[in-house]
CSV table of all heavy atoms in Angstrom, one decimal:
chain,number,residue,atom,x,y,z
N,16,LEU,N,17.7,-47.1,-30.4
N,16,LEU,CA,19.0,-46.9,-29.6
N,16,LEU,C,18.6,-46.3,-28.3
N,16,LEU,O,17.8,-45.4,-28.1
N,16,LEU,CB,19.9,-45.9,-30.4
N,16,LEU,CG,21.2,-45.5,-29.7
N,16,LEU,CD1,22.1,-46.7,-29.7
N,16,LEU,CD2,21.8,-44.3,-30.5
N,17,SER,N,19.1,-46.9,-27.2
N,17,SER,CA,18.8,-46.4,-25.8
N,17,SER,C,20.1,-46.5,-25.0
N,17,SER,O,21.0,-47.3,-25.3
N,17,SER,CB,17.7,-47.2,-25.2
N,17,SER,OG,18.0,-48.5,-25.1
N,18,GLY,N,20.2,-45.7,-24.0
N,18,GLY,CA,21.3,-45.8,-23.1
N,18,GLY,C,21.2,-44.8,-22.0
N,18,GLY,O,20.2,-44.0,-21.8
N,19,ARG,N,22.3,-44.7,-21.2
N,19,ARG,CA,22.2,-43.8,-20.0
N,19,ARG,C,22.8,-42.5,-20.3
N,19,ARG,O,22.5,-41.5,-19.5
N,19,ARG,CB,23.0,-44.5,-18.9
N,19,ARG,CG,24.5,-44.8,-19.2
N,19,ARG,CD,25.1,-45.7,-18.2
N,19,ARG,NE,26.5,-46.0,-18.5
N,19,ARG,CZ,27.2,-47.0,-18.0
N,19,ARG,NH1,26.6,-47.8,-17.1
N,19,ARG,NH2,28.5,-47.2,-18.4
N,20,ASN,N,23.6,-42.3,-21.4
N,20,ASN,CA,24.3,-41.1,-21.7
N,20,ASN,C,24.7,-41.1,-23.1
N,20,ASN,O,25.5,-42.0,-23.5
N,20,ASN,CB,25.4,-40.8,-20.7
N,20,ASN,CG,26.0,-39.4,-20.8
N,20,ASN,OD1,25.8,-38.7,-21.8
N,20,ASN,ND2,26.7,-39.0,-19.8
N,21,MET,N,24.3,-40.1,-23.9
N,21,MET,CA,24.7,-40.1,-25.3
N,21,MET,C,26.2,-39.9,-25.5
N,21,MET,O,26.7,-40.4,-26.5
N,21,MET,CB,23.9,-39.0,-26.1
N,21,MET,CG,22.5,-39.2,-26.4
N,21,MET,SD,21.8,-37.9,-27.5
N,21,MET,CE,20.1,-38.4,-27.5
N,22,ALA,N,26.8,-39.3,-24.6
N,22,ALA,CA,28.3,-39.1,-24.7
N,22,ALA,C,29.0,-40.4,-24.7
N,22,ALA,O,30.1,-40.5,-25.2
N,22,ALA,CB,28.7,-38.2,-23.5
N,23,ASP,N,28.4,-41.5,-24.2
N,23,ASP,CA,29.0,-42.8,-24.2
N,23,ASP,C,29.2,-43.4,-25.6
N,23,ASP,O,30.0,-44.3,-25.8
N,23,ASP,CB,28.2,-43.8,-23.3
N,23,ASP,CG,28.2,-43.4,-21.8
N,23,ASP,OD1,29.1,-42.7,-21.4
N,23,ASP,OD2,27.3,-43.9,-21.1
N,24,GLN,N,28.5,-42.8,-26.5
N,24,GLN,CA,28.5,-43.4,-27.9
N,24,GLN,C,29.7,-42.9,-28.7
N,24,GLN,O,30.0,-43.3,-29.8
N,24,GLN,CB,27.3,-43.0,-28.7
N,24,GLN,CG,26.0,-43.5,-28.0
N,24,GLN,CD,26.1,-45.0,-27.8
N,24,GLN,OE1,26.5,-45.7,-28.6
N,24,GLN,NE2,25.6,-45.4,-26.6
N,25,TYR,N,30.5,-41.9,-28.1
N,25,TYR,CA,31.6,-41.4,-28.9
N,25,TYR,C,32.6,-42.5,-29.4
N,25,TYR,O,33.0,-42.5,-30.5
N,25,TYR,CB,32.4,-40.3,-28.1
N,25,TYR,CG,33.6,-39.8,-28.8
N,25,TYR,CD1,33.5,-38.9,-29.9
N,25,TYR,CD2,34.9,-40.2,-28.4
N,25,TYR,CE1,34.6,-38.4,-30.6
N,25,TYR,CE2,36.0,-39.7,-29.1
N,25,TYR,CZ,35.8,-38.9,-30.2
N,25,TYR,OH,36.9,-38.4,-30.8
N,26,PRO,N,33.0,-43.4,-28.5
N,26,PRO,CA,33.9,-44.5,-29.0
N,26,PRO,C,33.4,-45.3,-30.2
N,26,PRO,O,34.2,-45.8,-31.0
N,26,PRO,CB,34.1,-45.4,-27.8
N,26,PRO,CG,33.8,-44.5,-26.6
N,26,PRO,CD,32.7,-43.6,-27.1
N,27,LEU,N,32.1,-45.4,-30.3
N,27,LEU,CA,31.5,-46.2,-31.4
N,27,LEU,C,31.3,-45.4,-32.6
N,27,LEU,O,31.5,-45.8,-33.7
N,27,LEU,CB,30.1,-46.8,-30.9
N,27,LEU,CG,30.2,-47.9,-29.9
N,27,LEU,CD1,28.8,-48.3,-29.5
N,27,LEU,CD2,31.0,-49.1,-30.3
N,28,THR,N,30.8,-44.1,-32.5
N,28,THR,CA,30.4,-43.3,-33.6
N,28,THR,C,31.5,-42.3,-34.0
N,28,THR,O,31.5,-41.8,-35.2
N,28,THR,CB,29.1,-42.6,-33.3
N,28,THR,OG1,29.3,-41.6,-32.2
N,28,THR,CG2,28.0,-43.5,-32.9
N,29,GLY,N,32.3,-41.9,-33.1
N,29,GLY,CA,33.3,-40.8,-33.4
N,29,GLY,C,32.6,-39.4,-33.3
N,29,GLY,O,33.3,-38.4,-33.7
N,30,ILE,N,31.4,-39.4,-32.9
N,30,ILE,CA,30.7,-38.1,-32.8
N,30,ILE,C,30.6,-37.6,-31.4
N,30,ILE,O,30.1,-38.3,-30.5
N,30,ILE,CB,29.2,-38.2,-33.4
N,30,ILE,CG1,29.3,-38.7,-34.8
N,30,ILE,CG2,28.5,-36.9,-33.3
N,30,ILE,CD1,27.9,-39.0,-35.4
N,31,ALA,N,31.2,-36.4,-31.1
N,31,ALA,CA,31.2,-35.9,-29.8
N,31,ALA,C,29.8,-35.3,-29.5
N,31,ALA,O,29.4,-34.4,-30.2
N,31,ALA,CB,32.3,-34.9,-29.6
N,32,THR,N,29.1,-35.7,-28.4
N,32,THR,CA,27.9,-35.2,-28.0
N,32,THR,C,28.0,-34.8,-26.5
N,32,THR,O,28.8,-35.3,-25.8
N,32,THR,CB,26.7,-36.2,-28.2
N,32,THR,OG1,27.0,-37.3,-27.3
N,32,THR,CG2,26.6,-36.7,-29.6
N,33,PRO,N,27.1,-33.8,-26.1
N,33,PRO,CA,27.2,-33.5,-24.7
N,33,PRO,C,26.6,-34.6,-23.8
N,33,PRO,O,25.9,-35.5,-24.3
N,33,PRO,CB,26.3,-32.2,-24.6
N,33,PRO,CG,25.3,-32.4,-25.8
N,33,PRO,CD,26.2,-33.1,-26.9
N,34,ASN,N,26.8,-34.5,-22.5
N,34,ASN,CA,26.2,-35.4,-21.6
N,34,ASN,C,24.7,-35.3,-21.6
N,34,ASN,O,24.2,-34.2,-21.8
N,34,ASN,CB,26.7,-35.2,-20.2
N,34,ASN,CG,28.2,-35.6,-20.1
N,34,ASN,OD1,28.6,-36.6,-20.6
N,34,ASN,ND2,29.0,-34.8,-19.4
N,35,THR,N,24.0,-36.4,-21.5
N,35,THR,CA,22.5,-36.3,-21.5
N,35,THR,C,22.0,-37.2,-20.4
N,35,THR,O,22.7,-38.1,-19.9
N,35,THR,CB,22.0,-36.8,-22.8
N,35,THR,OG1,22.2,-38.2,-23.0
N,35,THR,CG2,22.6,-36.0,-24.0
N,36,PRO,N,20.8,-37.0,-20.0
N,36,PRO,CA,20.1,-38.0,-19.2
N,36,PRO,C,19.8,-39.3,-20.0
N,36,PRO,O,20.1,-39.3,-21.2
N,36,PRO,CB,18.8,-37.4,-18.8
N,36,PRO,CG,18.9,-35.9,-19.1
N,36,PRO,CD,19.9,-35.9,-20.3
N,37,PRO,N,19.3,-40.4,-19.3
N,37,PRO,CA,19.0,-41.6,-20.1
N,37,PRO,C,18.1,-41.3,-21.3
N,37,PRO,O,17.2,-40.4,-21.2
N,37,PRO,CB,18.3,-42.5,-19.1
N,37,PRO,CG,19.0,-42.0,-17.8
N,37,PRO,CD,19.2,-40.6,-17.9
N,38,TYR,N,18.3,-42.0,-22.4
N,38,TYR,CA,17.5,-41.6,-23.6
N,38,TYR,C,17.1,-42.9,-24.3
N,38,TYR,O,17.6,-44.0,-24.0
N,38,TYR,CB,18.5,-40.9,-24.5
N,38,TYR,CG,19.7,-41.7,-25.0
N,38,TYR,CD1,19.6,-42.4,-26.2
N,38,TYR,CD2,20.8,-41.8,-24.2
N,38,TYR,CE1,20.7,-43.2,-26.6
N,38,TYR,CE2,21.9,-42.5,-24.6
N,38,TYR,CZ,21.8,-43.2,-25.8
N,38,TYR,OH,22.9,-44.0,-26.2
N,39,ARG,N,16.1,-42.7,-25.2
N,39,ARG,CA,15.7,-43.8,-26.1
N,39,ARG,C,15.2,-43.1,-27.4
N,39,ARG,O,14.2,-42.3,-27.3
N,39,ARG,CB,14.6,-44.6,-25.4
N,39,ARG,CG,14.0,-45.8,-26.4
N,39,ARG,CD,12.9,-46.5,-25.7
N,39,ARG,NE,12.4,-47.6,-26.5
N,39,ARG,CZ,12.9,-48.8,-26.6
N,39,ARG,NH1,14.0,-49.1,-25.9
N,39,ARG,NH2,12.4,-49.7,-27.4
N,40,LEU,N,15.8,-43.5,-28.5
N,40,LEU,CA,15.4,-43.0,-29.8
N,40,LEU,C,15.2,-44.1,-30.8
N,40,LEU,O,15.8,-45.1,-30.8
N,40,LEU,CB,16.5,-42.0,-30.3
N,40,LEU,CG,16.9,-40.8,-29.4
N,40,LEU,CD1,18.2,-40.1,-29.9
N,40,LEU,CD2,15.8,-39.9,-29.3
N,41,ALA,N,14.3,-43.8,-31.8
N,41,ALA,CA,14.0,-44.8,-32.8
N,41,ALA,C,13.8,-44.0,-34.1
N,41,ALA,O,13.1,-43.0,-34.2
N,41,ALA,CB,12.8,-45.7,-32.5
N,42,GLY,N,14.4,-44.6,-35.2
N,42,GLY,CA,14.3,-43.9,-36.5
N,42,GLY,C,14.8,-44.8,-37.6
N,42,GLY,O,15.1,-45.9,-37.4
N,43,ALA,N,15.0,-44.1,-38.8
N,43,ALA,CA,15.5,-44.8,-40.0
N,43,ALA,C,17.0,-44.5,-40.2
N,43,ALA,O,17.3,-43.3,-40.4
N,43,ALA,CB,14.7,-44.4,-41.2
N,44,LEU,N,17.8,-45.5,-40.1
N,44,LEU,CA,19.3,-45.3,-40.3
N,44,LEU,C,19.6,-45.8,-41.7
N,44,LEU,O,19.2,-46.9,-42.1
N,44,LEU,CB,20.0,-46.1,-39.2
N,44,LEU,CG,21.6,-46.1,-39.4
N,44,LEU,CD1,22.1,-44.7,-39.0
N,44,LEU,CD2,22.2,-47.2,-38.5
N,45,SER,N,20.4,-45.0,-42.4
N,45,SER,CA,20.9,-45.4,-43.7
N,45,SER,C,22.3,-45.0,-43.9
N,45,SER,O,22.8,-44.0,-43.3
N,45,SER,CB,20.0,-44.8,-44.8
N,45,SER,OG,20.1,-43.4,-44.8
N,46,ARG,N,23.0,-45.7,-44.8
N,46,ARG,CA,24.4,-45.4,-45.1
N,46,ARG,C,24.5,-45.4,-46.6
N,46,ARG,O,24.1,-46.3,-47.3
N,46,ARG,CB,25.4,-46.4,-44.5
N,46,ARG,CG,26.8,-46.1,-44.9
N,46,ARG,CD,27.8,-47.1,-44.3
N,46,ARG,NE,29.2,-46.6,-44.7
N,46,ARG,CZ,30.3,-47.3,-44.3
N,46,ARG,NH1,30.2,-48.4,-43.7
N,46,ARG,NH2,31.5,-46.8,-44.7
N,47,ASP,N,25.2,-44.4,-47.2
N,47,ASP,CA,25.6,-44.3,-48.6
N,47,ASP,C,27.0,-43.9,-48.6
N,47,ASP,O,27.4,-42.7,-48.6
N,47,ASP,CB,24.7,-43.2,-49.3
N,47,ASP,CG,24.9,-43.2,-50.8
N,47,ASP,OD1,25.7,-44.0,-51.3
N,47,ASP,OD2,24.2,-42.4,-51.5
N,48,ASP,N,27.9,-44.9,-48.6
N,48,ASP,CA,29.3,-44.6,-48.6
N,48,ASP,C,29.7,-43.9,-47.3
N,48,ASP,O,29.5,-44.4,-46.2
N,48,ASP,CB,29.8,-44.0,-49.8
N,48,ASP,CG,29.8,-44.9,-51.0
N,48,ASP,OD1,29.9,-46.1,-50.8
N,48,ASP,OD2,29.7,-44.4,-52.2
N,49,ASP,N,30.2,-42.6,-47.4
N,49,ASP,CA,30.6,-41.9,-46.3
N,49,ASP,C,29.5,-41.1,-45.6
N,49,ASP,O,29.8,-40.4,-44.6
N,49,ASP,CB,31.7,-40.9,-46.7
N,49,ASP,CG,33.0,-41.6,-47.0
N,49,ASP,OD1,33.3,-42.7,-46.5
N,49,ASP,OD2,33.9,-41.0,-47.8
N,50,ARG,N,28.3,-41.2,-46.1
N,50,ARG,CA,27.2,-40.4,-45.5
N,50,ARG,C,26.3,-41.3,-44.7
N,50,ARG,O,25.7,-42.3,-45.3
N,50,ARG,CB,26.4,-39.7,-46.7
N,50,ARG,CG,25.2,-38.9,-46.2
N,50,ARG,CD,24.6,-38.1,-47.3
N,50,ARG,NE,25.5,-37.1,-47.8
N,50,ARG,CZ,25.2,-36.4,-48.9
N,50,ARG,NH1,24.1,-36.5,-49.5
N,50,ARG,NH2,26.1,-35.5,-49.3
N,51,TRP,N,26.1,-41.0,-43.5
N,51,TRP,CA,25.2,-41.7,-42.6
N,51,TRP,C,24.0,-40.7,-42.3
N,51,TRP,O,24.2,-39.5,-42.0
N,51,TRP,CB,25.8,-42.0,-41.3
N,51,TRP,CG,26.9,-43.1,-41.4
N,51,TRP,CD1,28.2,-42.8,-41.9
N,51,TRP,CD2,26.9,-44.4,-41.1
N,51,TRP,NE1,28.9,-44.0,-41.9
N,51,TRP,CE2,28.1,-45.0,-41.4
N,51,TRP,CE3,25.9,-45.2,-40.6
N,51,TRP,CZ2,28.4,-46.3,-41.2
N,51,TRP,CZ3,26.2,-46.6,-40.3
N,51,TRP,CH2,27.4,-47.1,-40.6
N,52,THR,N,22.8,-41.3,-42.3
N,52,THR,CA,21.6,-40.5,-42.0
N,52,THR,C,20.7,-41.2,-41.0
N,52,THR,O,20.4,-42.4,-41.2
N,52,THR,CB,20.8,-40.2,-43.3
N,52,THR,OG1,21.6,-39.6,-44.2
N,52,THR,CG2,19.6,-39.3,-43.0
N,53,PHE,N,20.3,-40.5,-40.0
N,53,PHE,CA,19.4,-41.0,-39.0
N,53,PHE,C,18.1,-40.1,-39.1
N,53,PHE,O,18.1,-39.0,-38.5
N,53,PHE,CB,20.0,-41.0,-37.6
N,53,PHE,CG,19.2,-41.7,-36.5
N,53,PHE,CD1,18.4,-42.8,-36.8
N,53,PHE,CD2,19.1,-41.2,-35.2
N,53,PHE,CE1,17.7,-43.5,-35.9
N,53,PHE,CE2,18.4,-41.9,-34.2
N,53,PHE,CZ,17.7,-43.0,-34.6
N,54,ALA,N,17.1,-40.6,-39.9
N,54,ALA,CA,16.0,-39.7,-40.3
N,54,ALA,C,14.8,-40.0,-39.5
N,54,ALA,O,14.5,-41.2,-39.2
N,54,ALA,CB,15.8,-39.8,-41.8
N,55,ASP,N,13.9,-39.0,-39.4
N,55,ASP,CA,12.6,-39.1,-38.8
N,55,ASP,C,12.6,-39.9,-37.5
N,55,ASP,O,11.7,-40.7,-37.2
N,55,ASP,CB,11.7,-39.9,-39.8
N,55,ASP,CG,11.5,-39.1,-41.1
N,55,ASP,OD1,11.4,-37.9,-41.0
N,55,ASP,OD2,11.3,-39.7,-42.1
N,56,PHE,N,13.6,-39.6,-36.6
N,56,PHE,CA,13.7,-40.3,-35.4
N,56,PHE,C,12.8,-39.6,-34.3
N,56,PHE,O,12.6,-38.3,-34.4
N,56,PHE,CB,15.1,-40.4,-34.9
N,56,PHE,CG,15.8,-39.2,-34.5
N,56,PHE,CD1,15.6,-38.6,-33.2
N,56,PHE,CD2,16.7,-38.5,-35.4
N,56,PHE,CE1,16.3,-37.4,-32.9
N,56,PHE,CE2,17.3,-37.4,-35.0
N,56,PHE,CZ,17.1,-36.8,-33.8
N,57,THR,N,12.3,-40.3,-33.4
N,57,THR,CA,11.6,-39.8,-32.3
N,57,THR,C,12.0,-40.5,-31.0
N,57,THR,O,12.5,-41.6,-31.1
N,57,THR,CB,10.0,-40.0,-32.5
N,57,THR,OG1,9.8,-41.4,-32.6
N,57,THR,CG2,9.6,-39.3,-33.8
N,58,GLY,N,11.7,-39.9,-29.9
N,58,GLY,CA,12.0,-40.5,-28.6
N,58,GLY,C,12.1,-39.5,-27.5
N,58,GLY,O,11.5,-38.4,-27.6
N,59,ARG,N,12.8,-40.0,-26.4
N,59,ARG,CA,12.8,-39.1,-25.2
N,59,ARG,C,14.3,-39.1,-24.7
N,59,ARG,O,15.0,-40.1,-24.9
N,59,ARG,CB,11.9,-39.7,-24.2
N,59,ARG,CG,10.5,-39.8,-24.6
N,59,ARG,CD,9.6,-40.0,-23.4
N,59,ARG,NE,9.5,-38.8,-22.5
N,59,ARG,CZ,8.7,-37.8,-22.8
N,59,ARG,NH1,7.9,-37.8,-23.9
N,59,ARG,NH2,8.6,-36.8,-22.0
N,60,VAL,N,14.6,-37.9,-24.2
N,60,VAL,CA,15.9,-37.7,-23.5
N,60,VAL,C,15.6,-37.2,-22.1
N,60,VAL,O,15.1,-36.1,-22.0
N,60,VAL,CB,16.8,-36.7,-24.3
N,60,VAL,CG1,18.1,-36.5,-23.5
N,60,VAL,CG2,17.1,-37.2,-25.7
């Protein structure tokens, strides 16, 4: 996942995050019904 500002993801994820510089993250995404996990991610902000 990469972008210019993490706050832009709120319409997609419903999670409010603060404004950030451009970022790039990579990790393991999983879903188990209502539980979402983004584990062991690494990257830069």
Side-chain angles (χ1 to χ4, degrees):
L16 180 67
S17 61
R19 61 195 178 196
N20 189 339
M21 284 189 186
D23 293 340
Q24 300 307 317
Y25 176 75
L27 293 178
T28 64
I30 302 174
T32 63
N34 290 317
T35 69
Y38 64 92
R39 180 180 178 87
L40 303 172
L44 176 70
S45 64
R46 178 181 184 182
D47 187 0
D48 287 334
D49 288 335
R50 177 175 296 175
W51 294 76
T52 304
F53 190 34
D55 296 326
F56 68 82
T57 59
R59 304 194 69 82
V60 179

